[in-house]
Amino acid sequence: MKMVENTAPRSHPHQVYHVAVDIHAQTGSNRQDDYTRLKRTGTVWTTCAHIITAVIGSGVLSLAWAIAQLGWIAGPAVMFLFSLVTYYTSTLLSACYRTGDPVNGKRHYTYMDAVLCNLGGAKAKSCGFVQYLVLFGVAVGCTISSSISMMAVKRSNCFHKSGGKDPCHMNANPYMIAFGIAEFFFSQIPDFDQLWWLSIIAAVMSFTYSFIALRLGITKVAENGKLMGSLTGISIDTITQTHKIWRSFQALGYIAFGYSFSIILIEIQDTIKSSPSEAKTMKKATLISVVVTTLIYMLCGCFGYAAFGDMSPGNLLTGFGFYNPYWLMDIANVAIVVHLVGAYQVYCQPLFAFIEKTAAQRFPDSDFIIKETKIPLPGSRSYNLNLFRLVWRTCFVILTTLISMLLPFFNDIVGLLGAFAFWPLTVYFPVEMYIAQKQIPRWSARWLCLKILSSACLIITIAAAAGSIAGMVGDLKSFKPFKTSY
């Protein structure tokens, strides 16, 4: 890592979080931004690519199941409300990227830094704990989901060859290991700002499989000649009243997971160039991304439910809601895997940066942590090899792969992550920071509205978490470590 002198004005509070080590100065460029960091080149479109890569994950394929639990009225309504809340709180959070003047005020490079400056050290630590725990969980979720999609490709071809006579069961572990090997290489990309090309590829892939799922849903509805489903969701005759409640709660977690990009919003915003102000660019990119995302979610979720009704699978493309054309299914599942390779990196880079910055601050004289060795690459700029980055990121990928092999409950993990991240990181901290930064008077109408919004979202989060935990408890009854097959 490159050592730089901290030139930030001494009047800035909490300066210890912006000292000697510049984790972004790893490309060899001499172009400098404020606080001696590399100039940022992000635009509305690169920001949209990062957000869409983070948001439109394979969780979109579980939305038909979520709507099946809630029905034609509550399902789309809940999705629309989540989109509104996410957009609104994201604008509050983006306004907290700088303290004071929105153009020249002090920048906060991470979510945790913003919370530290606005709410103090105790809340910053709790924010960091939740944020990095969820980022770790998302890495596990990406690994599990990718293995399911890789197996779906092989299974669809197996079904096609056997004419559906062979059940085509297979073990998930080799596919998780293959995904982990791929992530070993991509995890050596030094920092978030250099991921823009991977995010664009991943975003294109997310559109690809989303539209394939939509196309298959429309075709199935046409074959049925009618819209399946009901106004209130899955029938009590099919499941018990208790299961109906737990599944409805779990569905909330699925939908919340689909709007969970606030967890890395500040880190994405830190890649945006400062003219116009980062907050303006971020608000525009957020609006575009949320509108596009919600449109895709509504179409995929609603047409999936219309196609299968109460029998909607947990994943439209890997739950074998569709079998043919099998080649189109293969394209969709390959697109999911490519997208998840990028999503893994978009979510993990903030965690990588946090660990590396902390290590460099604690051991500034360690060559193992600080020193970088230039390795020439044919036809490209040289790569700066850092031994600490190589070793720790490799260990991280190995750990996420092992845990994925132990806990292969994709749907339940999606719901639990969505529930766990939604209230604190999407609602509570943005609302509290905005109140503190704008000095909104206690018990004023605006203060009350913000507090009511936060409290309502807390109740939804608790319900969604309870539903997901109930689902995982059921899965554990047939659980065998390292022996998961589909």
Side-chain angles (χ1 to χ4, degrees):
M1 293 184 182
K2 181 179 176 182
M3 298 295 294
V4 297
E5 180 185 358
N6 181 16
T7 58
R10 295 293 180 184
S11 59
H12 288 319
H14 309 295
Q15 193 171 333
V16 68
Y17 278 75
H18 304 290
V19 295
V21 181
D22 182 2
I23 61 171
H24 291 273
Q26 302 181 47
T27 62
S29 172
N30 291 320
R31 297 177 297 115
Q32 299 295 312
D33 198 358
D34 50 342
Y35 302 134
T36 73
R37 296 167 72 89
L38 288 177
K39 281 188 178 294
R40 296 157 293 146
T41 58
T43 64
V44 168
W45 302 114
T46 60
T47 304
C48 286
H50 285 315
I51 294 174
I52 289 172
T53 298
V55 175
I56 304 183
S58 56
V60 67
L61 303 174
S62 66
L63 291 177
W65 184 92
I67 294 179
Q69 312 314 308
L70 300 172
W72 279 118
I73 297 177
V78 167
M79 203 178 297
F80 183 68
L81 287 174
F82 268 95
S83 69
L84 289 180
V85 170
T86 300
Y87 172 69
Y88 177 67
T89 57
S90 295
T91 61
L92 301 184
L93 183 56
S94 65
C96 298
Y97 174 69
R98 288 185 182 267
T99 296
D101 186 80
V103 177
N104 298 312
K106 177 188 172 186
R107 286 166 53 196
H108 303 301
Y109 309 130
T110 67
Y111 200 145
M112 192 174 173
D113 287 348
V115 175
L116 174 67
C117 185
N118 288 282
L119 302 177
K123 289 189 176 181
K125 289 179 181 178
S126 62
C127 170
F129 173 77
V130 174
Q131 181 187 16
Y132 297 126
L133 180 62
V134 171
L135 290 177
F136 181 85
V138 170
V140 173
C142 287
T143 305
I144 295 171
S145 183
S146 67
S147 70
I148 295 173
S149 291
M150 283 187 273
M151 285 188 295
V153 173
K154 189 169 183 179
R155 289 184 71 199
S156 68
N157 286 276
C158 175
F159 278 126
H160 179 71
K161 290 179 180 179
S162 67
K165 297 177 181 179
D166 187 345
C168 303
H169 292 305
M170 59 192 68
N171 192 286
N173 293 343
Y175 300 93
M176 294 184 187
I177 293 171
F179 184 80
I181 291 172
E183 290 303 340
F184 161 75
F185 292 100
F186 284 104
S187 291
Q188 299 310 311
I189 296 174
D191 92 2
F192 210 140
D193 197 50
Q194 297 174 48
L195 280 178
W196 63 269
W197 62 273
L198 186 57
S199 286
I200 290 174
I201 293 173
V204 171
M205 293 298 102
S206 67
F207 284 123
T208 299
Y209 66 73
S210 295
F211 283 116
I212 289 175
L214 175 60
R215 183 261 191 192
L216 293 172
I218 294 173
T219 302
K220 184 69 173 179
V221 170
E223 288 179 2
N224 294 338
K226 63 177 181 178
L227 297 178
M228 305 290 283
S230 64
L231 295 179
T232 57
I234 191 167
S235 172
I236 301 294
D237 297 335
T238 307
I239 57 174
T240 65
Q241 180 70 46
T242 302
H243 278 106
K244 167 77 172 177
I245 294 172
W246 287 126
R247 284 189 172 195
S248 297
F249 289 166
Q250 193 174 0
L252 297 177
Y254 283 19
I255 297 172
F257 183 75
Y259 290 99
S260 60
F261 73 93
S262 294
I263 187 175
I264 52 174
L265 184 145
I266 294 293
E267 285 80 0
I268 292 175
Q269 192 166 346
D270 193 45
T271 67
I272 300 173
K273 58 186 179 182
S274 57
S275 180
S277 71
E278 301 91 348
K280 286 184 178 180
T281 302
M282 193 70 202
K283 288 177 182 178
K284 185 175 181 181
T286 299
L287 178 61
I288 294 171
S289 301
V290 170
V291 169
V292 170
T293 297
T294 303
L295 180 61
I296 291 175
Y297 284 1
M298 287 286 191
L299 290 173
C300 288
C302 291
F303 272 103
Y305 182 44
F308 296 102
D310 290 354
M311 301 303 294
S312 296
N315 187 312
L316 280 177
L317 296 178
T318 61
F320 286 85
F322 303 105
Y323 292 91
N324 288 300
Y326 76 98
W327 58 268
L328 189 59
M329 295 283 293
D330 290 350
I331 292 173
N333 280 297
V334 169
I336 291 174
V337 175
V338 175
H339 169 259
L340 289 171
V341 169
Y344 185 105
Q345 291 303 315
V346 167
Y347 276 107
C348 289
Q349 282 292 338
L351 178 55
F352 292 161
F354 172 74
I355 295 296
E356 288 155 24
K357 180 176 72 171
T358 302
Q361 287 175 346
R362 292 195 176 186
F363 307 100
D365 300 322
S366 171
D367 285 344
F368 174 70
I369 294 175
I370 301 298
K371 185 178 179 180
E372 292 194 341
T373 304
K374 289 187 178 295
I375 298 179
L377 298 175
S380 179
R381 67 176 64 180
S382 61
Y383 176 77
N384 294 331
L385 175 66
N386 177 270
L387 289 178
F388 176 69
R389 181 172 66 230
L390 175 65
V391 172
W392 119 256
R393 293 191 185 189
T394 299
C395 292
F396 177 88
V397 172
I398 292 172
L399 182 59
T400 57
T401 303
L402 287 174
I403 292 177
S404 300
M405 293 161 67
L406 277 169
L407 299 172
F409 313 138
F410 169 66
N411 284 356
D412 296 321
I413 285 178
V414 164
L416 188 59
L417 287 174
F420 193 62
F422 180 70
W423 177 72
L425 299 174
T426 302
V427 181
Y428 174 74
F429 286 117
V431 165
E432 293 300 315
M433 283 194 290
Y434 187 77
I435 289 174
Q437 192 174 82
K438 300 300 181 182
Q439 298 181 340
I440 298 174
R442 184 181 290 267
W443 302 114
S444 64
R446 194 174 189 185
W447 184 91
L448 283 172
C449 288
L450 289 170
K451 288 291 186 178
I452 290 171
L453 171 65
S454 182
S455 299
C457 290
L458 173 60
I459 294 171
I460 293 172
T461 290
I462 292 172
S468 297
I469 291 171
M472 291 185 72
V473 169
D475 287 339
L476 285 170
K477 294 178 180 178
S478 57
F479 167 64
K480 293 181 180 180
F482 299 108
K483 293 184 179 180
T484 303
S485 61
Y486 293 87

